């Protein structure tokens, strides 16, 4: 069997489909038939392992009696799905995974990496009739595979939602299914046009579990940002949010060095 590691971050759509002779397929650690029992232990590690186990295989190496994973590409800028000839040396783009499809459009339960940046997070849920993450009860999963935001989305962007934690996972016909628990249900996260980041002051759910603000041990260091846990190379430490502005609104020619810094 010829196999290639599928770099997570490729704008591909992966869908369960009876294989044809000329197509490529994707396999993972999930069995393509049946449902496993729900697992509540080491959930985030199991999810990371499954997501990174996606592997391209030649169609003629796949048993025609079993289902495989069919690939197309979704171009977020064009808001459309594009036929793709799989190249194992292809640059990083995002991956989309679904059990069902209509033409080249995913349907039913779908996983989709948010964008082309590594560790950009994942969209999870049931897409609309166009295969887009538009509607209610959709989830943005942070790169920690533990924390998320569930609510209303429009074409993959959060409109409003609440913080959730992933409490259980299982393999179901090749895909991971998830269970969630709502945290802080009274706080609604919203996206505003004049912000980069969802809100200006409260700590992002991912950030809250990763970093904290403390007093620097350096002389005249003031406050600093410190890690709450260990990080691997390439992991997101924290998101940078706030109010959008322009330099001429806060930087002036008559500022002293102390004013500037």
């Amino acid at each position: 069997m010829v196999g290639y590691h599928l770099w997570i971050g490729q704008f591909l759509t992966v869908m369960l489909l009876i294989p044809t002779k000329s197509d490529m397929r994707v396999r993972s650690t999930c069995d393509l038939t049946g449902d496993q029992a729900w697992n509540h232990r080491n959930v985030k590690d199991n999810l990371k392992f499954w997501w990174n186990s996606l592997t391209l295989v030649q169609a003629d190496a796949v048993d025609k009696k079993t289902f495989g994973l069919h690939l197309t590409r979704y171009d977020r800028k064009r808001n459309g799905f594009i036929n793709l000839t799989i190249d194992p040396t292809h640059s990083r783009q995002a991956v989309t995974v679904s059990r069902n499809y209509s033409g080249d459009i995913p349907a039913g339960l779908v996983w989709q990496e948010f964008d082309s940046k590594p560790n950009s997070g994942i969209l999870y849920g049931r897409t609309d009739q166009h295969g887009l993450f538009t509607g209610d009860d959709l989830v943005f999963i942070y790169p920690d595979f533990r924390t998320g935001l569930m609510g209303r989305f429009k074409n993959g962007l959060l409109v409003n939602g609440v913080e959730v934690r992933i409490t259980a996972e299982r393999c179901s016909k090749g895909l991971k299914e998830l269970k969630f628990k709502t945290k802080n249900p009274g706080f609604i996260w919203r996206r505003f046009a004049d912000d980069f980041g969802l809100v200006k002051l409260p700590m992002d759910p991912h950030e809250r579990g990763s970093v904290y603000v403390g007093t620097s041990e350096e002389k005249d260091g003031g406050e600093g940002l410190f890690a709450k846990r260990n990080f691997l190379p390439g992991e997101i430490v924290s998101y940078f949010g706030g109010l959008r502005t322009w330099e001429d609104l806060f930087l002036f020619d008559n500022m002293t060095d102390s004013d500037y810094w």
Side-chain angles (χ1 to χ4, degrees), residues 52-68:
N52 287 286
S53 73
L54 298 179
T55 303
L56 292 176
V57 296
Q58 295 281 1
D60 56 7
V62 180
D63 185 351
K64 293 184 179 181
K65 295 181 180 180
T66 65
F67 286 82

Side-chain angles (χ1 to χ4, degrees), residues 45-112:
D45 293 332
N46 288 331
L47 290 176
K48 286 181 181 179
F49 185 76
W50 169 73
W51 186 247
N52 287 286
S53 73
L54 298 179
T55 303
L56 292 176
V57 296
Q58 295 281 1
D60 56 7
V62 180
D63 185 351
K64 293 184 179 181
K65 295 181 180 180
T66 65
F67 286 82
L69 300 175
H70 174 70
L71 287 84
T72 61
R73 182 175 68 175
Y74 178 70
D75 188 324
R76 193 175 297 280
K77 291 183 179 180
R78 299 180 181 178
N79 295 329
F81 293 91
I82 301 172
N83 291 329
L84 179 67
T85 300
I86 299 302
D87 178 359
T89 65
H90 201 283
S91 61
R92 287 178 178 266
Q93 299 175 1
V95 176
T96 307
V97 187
S98 172
R99 287 195 195 96
N100 307 307
Y101 71 99
S102 176
D104 288 329
I105 297 176
L109 183 63
V110 177
W111 288 67
Q112 183 183 87

Side-chain angles (χ1 to χ4, degrees), residues 242-259:
L243 184 66
R244 289 177 177 169
T245 187
W246 290 265
E247 287 187 0
D248 56 3
L249 296 180
F250 63 90
L251 295 180
F252 307 100
D253 293 336
N254 61 352
M255 292 176 67
T256 65
D257 288 344
S258 60
D259 291 332

